[in-house]
Amino acid sequence: MLSSPRIPERNVTDPGRRRLLGGAIGTFAIGLGGFSQTALAQTVAATGTPVPASKPLPQYTAWKEADALIVHSSNTLETRRSAYGSGVITPADRLFVRNNVPPPDPSIVADPDAWTVAIEGVKNPRSLSVAELKGMGLETTAAVLQCSGNGRGFFPSKPSGTPWTVGAAGCVIWSGVPVRSLAQALGGPVEGVVYMTGTGGEAIPQGVDPKSVLVERSVPIKAMEDALLAWEMNGEPVPLAHGGPLRLVVPGYSGVNNIKYIKRLAFTPKQSDARIMESRYRMTPPGEKGNPNQASIWEMGVKSWITSPGTDGEQMKAGRHMIEGVAFGGTNAVKSVEVSVDGGRTWQEARLVGPDLGRFAWRQFALPVDLRPGSYVLASRATDVNGKVQDELRIDNSAGYNNTSWRDHALPVMVA
Amino acid sequence: DLTKGRQMFQQGTTPACAVCHTLKDAGTSGEIGPNLDELKPDADRVAKAIREGLGVMPAFTDLSDEEVRLLAEYVAAATK
């Protein structure tokens, strides 16, 4: 299982190319035919070098900061590695977007209070408007939101799907009604239920099997203790791009489980038979088909990555540098983070900086280092409060999910 | 072959490619899947997606190898 360290260094020794790519940041429109560059984007993705700006922001995300994002497609926008800053919380206009199917019409966020969600699998099932939910409880939770495929771009097998490197993740603050309070107010879950199942409000076109397109996910019912039906993100109504007017937030669980535009929340004895639950988002061995016996993509693993310096083609000069990054532990808090400048041969403990916003949020870390001219491989490795250390190597799977490998996320840099 | 490929794209499969994909050459404007004019996939990528499915897209296991080839080559040619 152990393979030799895979430290991609070839592009680092090609400063002309790095300059070229770095210079492309912020030039916004290289041309509308941006996807002819997909091959290039996929090549550089695996090395941590920046992907050139490809195409304009899709209309429902027009309010976002274009220079901070990589537009892969109209349903997939990635935060640039260098765009996270040091403020713990990811601003909404820099936050990634991943929609399985296009978002519903923007009219649904015109009057968020009017949106309704059906609550089923409780003793007194009923439909509730957001206005009614607002009177039933309020909790605010900081949590990492991360697409299941974040880090897919580092898989040498090049799985199908968006080749995200680190940017399909952010740390945001959700406000809404706790699902446990809601369930209690409706008499509690009925006997025999073991899952919490959320169904999204996306429109399904005629002529398509609804189960193939429906965004419906089940998570173990214990997740209801921390889950919210959220109407605010970072203190503002949840934008359409992030699932407004109402989103199921399952802290510590991978992005796909956080159902956007939620229309139905049900406590169920079985998992959903929608394809997105039954055969997609599973830890499917390479070459095999997805099926319900394989592990579903639920809780996130311990993970960290460096966000500065030397990201997205930033040139580094000899001298003192503050190595910064983010670290999280899924449903467990991070205890410590180590940083290496030699690709993991030696480690030093970094300092956790900024506020601790709870076990579902990420921590910022920082370590000052003095670097002489030469080539380095910057790496970070997080440990959670249970002593679980971030994996060195990814677990291979056909769709490229759950990449927590610190080696994949290491950053080769050249110091001049 | 391209004419046959276009017909297959418009109505030769269940569900039809056209339901979910925008492709100018075929006059379709589906929005569930990627806009093929922007994606510009090569024939191998199209064939793989048809046979194995990809994301929301199901695997079209009822199609013959010849039908997959017609479709894949048509989409690649129409978006070049």
Side-chain angles (χ1 to χ4, degrees):
Chain A
M1 204 46 209
L2 278 178
S3 63
S4 59
R6 195 185 65 86
I7 302 171
E9 284 188 312
R10 55 190 184 282
N11 280 346
V12 179
T13 56
D14 185 353
R17 184 166 181 221
R18 284 178 68 83
R19 252 197 308 282
L20 172 71
L21 292 166
I25 299 174
T27 53
F28 191 78
I30 282 184
L32 290 176
F35 280 95
S36 57
Q37 294 167 355
T38 301
L40 171 64
Q42 285 176 347
T43 307
V44 297
T47 65
T49 40
V51 180
S54 49
K55 51 187 292 204
L57 293 167
Q59 198 180 0
Y60 69 102
T61 62
W63 50 276
K64 285 189 176 264
E65 192 182 331
D67 289 353
L69 295 159
I70 301 157
V71 180
H72 291 286
S73 75
S74 58
N75 286 330
T76 47
L77 278 60
E78 174 167 12
T79 309
R80 288 188 187 275
R81 190 164 184 166
S82 57
Y84 282 102
S86 312
V88 186
I89 294 302
T90 309
D93 61 4
R94 295 184 170 206
L95 183 64
F96 81 101
V97 173
R98 195 283 184 256
N99 268 21
N100 258 280
V101 294
D105 192 89
S107 60
I108 67 169
V109 289
D111 179 10
D113 282 355
W115 182 262
T116 59
V117 57
I119 313 296
E120 299 172 11
V122 288
K123 297 205 172 69
N124 306 303
R126 58 168 295 196
S127 233
L128 289 158
S129 67
V130 171
E132 289 170 306
L133 292 175
K134 284 178 174 175
M136 297 178 77
L138 178 63
E139 195 157 276
T140 292
T141 304
V144 173
L145 182 69
Q146 176 180 236
C147 178
S148 318
N150 200 27
R152 179 184 289 126
F154 297 124
F155 278 71
S157 56
K158 303 217 171 305
S160 293
T162 307
W164 315 102
T165 57
V166 302
C171 184
V172 291
I173 298 187
W174 302 102
S175 301
V177 60
V179 171
R180 59 173 192 279
S181 311
L182 178 62
Q184 194 179 22
L186 301 184
V190 295
E191 290 290 310
V193 292
V194 285
Y195 295 103
M196 176 172 76
T197 298
T199 311
E202 290 89 345
I204 294 168
Q206 293 230 317
V208 176
D209 174 10
K211 293 285 182 193
S212 80
V213 176
L214 193 67
V215 179
E216 184 171 271
R217 290 282 301 174
S218 304
V219 296
I221 198 166
K222 67 174 183 193
M224 73 181 275
E225 293 303 318
D226 303 308
L228 304 176
L229 284 178
W231 50 81
E232 270 190 26
M233 188 185 86
N234 291 355
E236 294 179 335
V238 181
L240 182 72
H242 297 297
L246 192 69
R247 183 168 190 173
L248 174 63
V249 173
V250 189
Y253 282 63
S254 205
V256 70
N257 300 294
N258 296 258
I259 301 293
K260 294 176 169 180
Y261 346 99
I262 187 165
K263 285 302 290 177
R264 172 179 171 263
L265 180 70
F267 297 98
T268 55
K270 287 185 177 163
Q271 295 181 13
S272 166
D273 62 353
R275 206 158 58 84
I276 197 170
M277 185 72 214
E278 203 171 69
S279 57
R280 298 177 59 205
Y281 293 90
R282 300 269 171 185
M283 287 297 274
T284 304
E288 290 185 24
K289 290 196 163 154
N291 73 58
N293 297 322
Q294 299 151 354
S296 190
I297 305 297
W298 281 332
E299 292 179 51
M300 297 185 290
V302 185
K303 186 168 177 180
S304 69
W305 61 83
I306 288 162
T307 56
S308 175
T311 46
D312 293 335
E314 185 205 339
Q315 301 290 300
M316 292 174 66
K317 291 206 170 81
R320 172 146 293 209
H321 289 278
M322 188 63 71
I323 298 180
E324 283 187 65
V326 295
F328 57 98
T331 51
N332 297 313
V334 163
K335 186 182 74 182
S336 60
V337 180
E338 298 160 289
V339 166
S340 173
V341 298
D342 55 14
R345 281 190 280 274
T346 60
W347 297 94
Q348 293 179 72
E349 185 154 342
R351 195 166 68 89
L352 298 179
V353 295
D356 178 352
L357 296 176
R359 65 191 168 109
F360 303 117
W362 65 28
R363 299 299 308 267
Q364 302 264 162
F365 63 86
L367 179 77
V369 294
D370 292 303
L371 298 177
R372 288 182 294 181
S375 62
Y376 297 86
V377 177
L378 310 182
S380 65
R381 184 171 73 175
T383 301
D384 76 9
V385 290
N386 293 337
K388 163 72 185 161
V389 181
Q390 181 176 352
D391 290 332
E392 176 179 357
L393 304 172
R394 79 190 90 76
I395 297 168
D396 206 8
N397 65 94
S398 72
Y401 294 132
N402 281 1
N403 189 351
T404 58
S405 157
W406 61 255
R407 204 170 272 292
D408 279 356
H409 292 76
L411 182 71
V413 295
M414 188 77 138
V415 174
Chain B
D1 269 14
L2 291 186
T3 309
K4 279 192 213 159
R6 186 184 294 113
Q7 283 168 356
M8 282 219 55
F9 186 91
Q10 289 164 334
Q11 49 196 345
T13 64
T14 310
C17 310
V19 173
C20 293
H21 291 288
T22 293
L23 179 58
K24 213 168 143 195
D25 185 84
T28 67
S29 56
E31 289 186 338
I32 292 291
N35 177 327
L36 296 171
D37 294 313
E38 290 177 358
L39 195 66
K40 299 183 189 300
D42 62 32
D44 286 350
R45 195 170 166 194
V46 177
K48 189 170 192 286
I50 295 170
R51 287 203 179 92
E52 299 175 12
L54 170 57
V56 171
M57 181 170 164
F60 287 76
T61 48
D62 294 346
L63 298 180
S64 69
D65 286 353
E66 173 64 7
E67 288 170 321
V68 173
R69 186 188 67 81
L70 275 175
L71 266 173
E73 286 177 5
Y74 165 66
V75 171
T79 56
K80 253 204 173 75

